[in-house]
Amino acid sequence: MNAALSMPAKAYVRRRKQLMTMAGDDAIVIVPSANEHIRSRDTHYPFRQDSDLSYLTGFPEPESVLVLVPGRRHGETLLFCRERDREREAWDGPRYGPEGAVEAFGLDDAYPIADLDDILPGLLEGRSRVYYHFGRDAEFDLKLIGWLNRVRAMVRQGAQPPHEFLELGHLLDELRLFKDRDEVRFMQRAADISVLAHEAAMRAARPGVREYELQAEIECVFRRHDAEPAYGSIVGAGSNACVLHYRANSAASQDGDLVLVDAGAEYRGYAADITRTFPVNGRFSAPQRALHDLVGAAQAAALAQARPGVAYEAGHLAAVETLTEGLLQLGLLKGKLEKNLAEGHYKRFYRHKTGHWLGMDVHDVGEYRLDGESRLLEPGMVFTIEPGLYVSPDDSSVDPKWRGIGIRTEDDVLITKDGHQVLTDRLARSADEIEALMGR
Ligand code: GLY
Ligand code: MN
Ligand code: MN
């Protein structure tokens, strides 16, 4: 893998400028960091920065708040953060401190987080609109209301409190939905690392292997490449593959099982999301191959809809139609295609949607529908295509040969000017490609 990637400082400047232009000169934008969460006593869960704050600054520390004040003469981009503290830094590692943060993150000004209470009311005063994620952090919501009330209490002295309160996501999610060239490089790296990880799992598979052993192979590759899981890795052998959010990863596989692996790396804040389903012994049985081929056909049908100007929803509809046709041919569904589609009978075997936006968050931000209609695809959007089929082990309405088979195939797709690019294309996908990679 190539050298570490870094996000150029001008990418953050550009994003903040875009957001401020969208918000307008009489607005203020407030973006708090993620909170640290205690696991027990003085031990914390691993800290992950809020994606919005990362997107706008790259600032990695908790207890910080970005405030954008478009057009403000004494500085538009302000950060509140922890002060340097020799004692604390000896325990937790270095902090930037306000001075260091201004320098390192190209901000106009920075202040100690302890001064937020004193300074924020003055920044709110005279601004008519507040953009903020209401309801995400109840404690911060209350603080904001307190600061607003302080401005309101000064009305008779001539203060002008804000009077419009708007959901920050309405602006920022739209920006984040369209990945710029730098972001695509990070997403490609996350995808490349994830491809290597899935290959490692396929190569390590053998009858009897435990699900967590395969998880270890995958996450070892992530860490070796400076990445970590973008979400809890799912490794389900046999009928565990039918549990959509299977988390235990504790069972032993048996000869003849398929294993479903849904795992993706997060590299410097950007996620990949890949699923492959492969036979632990390296050879698909005929029924396993038939369903795997059908899922592959559904994925290809969805992918054929991935180009600018096509409705996002078209991919799901194409996948569902292909799956229904195939299930009828294989005898898992009965009756006419139209009636099956109209009544959604495929949902017995396929209960999730065919994908989601992908970016800093695995289920990334962005509207799927605009004015009640599926939105149209545009260059820069990245999403997953992940059809699957899951036949419950106790589904007595189908031939026993199908029971307990769970399959999903998931890839990450970037919409380009004239079509698409599959970021995860290098990973074996068809049954033949998987068998060849497993070499047995
Ligand atoms: N890994 C979660 C998903 O595929 O949506
Ligand atoms: Mn997904
Ligand atoms: Mn997934």
Side-chain angles (χ1 to χ4, degrees):
M1 199 74 52
N2 304 329
L5 298 179
S6 65
M7 191 63 76
K10 64 181 190 323
Y12 298 113
V13 173
R14 186 177 63 234
R15 294 170 196 166
R16 294 196 292 258
K17 275 217 161 67
Q18 279 176 313
L19 181 59
M20 285 193 279
T21 303
M22 291 164 92
D25 261 359
D26 49 352
I28 181 166
V29 178
I30 302 171
V31 191
S33 66
N35 290 318
E36 283 194 295
H37 291 287
I38 291 174
R39 177 172 161 168
S40 65
R41 301 172 67 79
D42 61 347
T43 302
H44 292 83
Y45 285 105
F47 177 74
R48 181 183 182 274
Q49 186 56 286
D50 177 77
S51 296
D52 288 333
L53 189 65
S54 280
Y55 178 76
L56 293 168
T57 64
F59 189 69
E61 297 180 18
E63 294 185 78
S64 56
V65 181
L66 174 71
V67 182
L68 301 178
V69 204
R72 181 173 173 270
R73 254 183 304 138
H74 303 298
E76 300 183 295
T77 60
L78 314 175
L79 184 76
F80 294 82
C81 65
R82 302 178 305 189
E83 290 193 271
R84 305 285 315 263
D85 177 334
R86 286 173 73 91
E87 177 61 22
R88 284 314 318 167
E89 289 179 55
W91 289 91
D92 302 328
R95 300 175 172 185
Y96 282 95
E99 296 78 24
V102 166
E103 174 88 2
F105 298 92
L107 302 155
D108 291 331
D109 220 337
Y111 306 96
I113 187 73
D115 294 350
L116 189 62
D117 242 354
D118 290 334
I119 297 177
L120 211 69
L123 295 172
L124 289 166
E125 199 281 319
R127 297 273 147 184
S128 45
R129 272 169 298 126
V130 180
Y131 283 98
Y132 168 72
H133 283 302
F134 295 96
R136 188 180 282 187
D137 176 346
E139 207 177 309
F140 201 93
D141 291 354
L142 286 178
K143 283 191 202 165
L144 179 55
I145 291 168
W147 298 320
L148 287 165
N149 284 340
R150 296 239 303 271
V151 185
R152 288 169 180 154
M154 304 287 286
V155 167
R156 272 177 296 136
Q157 284 92 318
Q160 296 183 35
H163 50 83
E164 274 187 85
F165 304 93
L166 294 141
E167 173 46 40
L168 173 59
H170 192 62
L171 304 184
L172 192 48
D173 294 358
E174 277 300 296
L175 279 183
R176 279 180 50 191
L177 177 57
F178 297 91
K179 277 68 185 172
D180 58 38
R181 221 176 327 139
D182 292 308
E183 293 186 286
V184 169
R185 284 192 302 130
F186 279 65
M187 294 196 72
Q188 184 64 64
R189 178 65 64 89
D192 291 345
I193 295 167
S194 306
V195 166
L196 292 179
H198 277 261
E199 287 174 350
M202 287 183 201
R203 291 200 175 102
R206 60 187 191 283
V209 72
R210 300 236 166 210
E211 293 164 346
Y212 55 75
E213 294 179 90
L214 297 179
Q215 179 184 2
E217 295 290 334
I218 289 161
E219 294 179 11
C220 171
V221 175
F222 290 173
R223 287 309 290 144
R224 242 201 265 130
H225 293 90
D226 197 12
E228 50 200 314
Y231 50 90
S233 306
I234 297 170
V235 183
S239 61
N240 290 337
C242 299
V243 181
L244 295 179
H245 287 166
Y246 181 67
R247 297 299 295 270
N249 296 355
S250 55
S253 63
Q254 290 178 9
D255 199 4
D257 277 352
L258 290 179
V259 190
L260 182 152
V261 176
D262 183 345
E266 176 178 294
Y267 179 78
R268 306 286 166 88
Y270 286 87
D273 184 5
I274 301 183
T275 308
R276 288 294 185 267
T277 311
F278 53 86
V280 271
N281 64 13
R283 287 275 163 208
F284 284 89
S285 71
Q288 289 168 347
R289 183 179 271 262
L291 292 188
H292 192 274
D293 286 353
L294 178 51
V295 170
Q299 201 199 29
L303 192 59
Q305 301 299 318
R307 61 182 184 280
V310 175
Y312 170 78
E313 190 177 47
H316 178 64
L317 297 177
V320 159
E321 183 162 345
T322 304
L323 290 175
T324 305
E325 266 171 7
L327 290 167
L328 285 166
Q329 268 165 23
L330 296 173
L332 284 112
L333 290 175
K334 308 243 166 346
K336 291 248 175 305
L337 176 64
E338 290 68 28
K339 191 169 156 62
N340 269 277
L341 284 172
E343 294 175 4
H345 292 310
Y346 65 87
K347 287 182 187 162
R348 258 177 63 207
F349 305 112
Y350 181 45
R351 26 175 76 79
H352 60 81
K353 290 279 189 196
T354 304
H356 49 82
W357 304 130
L358 181 69
M360 299 192 83
D361 297 321
V362 62
H363 293 171
D364 206 32
V365 294
E367 299 284 353
Y368 291 92
R369 303 180 75 77
L370 300 176
D371 301 323
E373 307 254 347
S374 176
R375 78 185 297 161
L376 304 184
L377 295 173
E378 296 176 60
M381 291 172 161
V382 179
F383 57 95
T384 66
I385 300 186
E386 50 177 307
L389 285 172
Y390 316 90
V391 186
S392 166
D394 46 21
D395 187 341
S396 55
S397 72
V398 300
D399 190 307
K401 70 182 178 186
W402 306 118
R403 292 180 201 164
I405 298 181
I407 293 167
R408 178 164 63 256
T409 302
E410 175 173 30
D411 285 280
D412 303 345
V413 178
L414 164 71
I415 298 294
T416 58
K417 210 155 52 64
D418 34 47
H420 61 249
Q421 186 185 328
V422 180
L423 302 179
T424 47
D425 210 27
R426 294 210 330 243
L427 183 57
R429 184 178 296 103
S430 69
D432 284 345
E433 287 166 355
I434 289 171
E435 287 185 353
L437 187 126
M438 296 180 78
R440 279 166 261 178

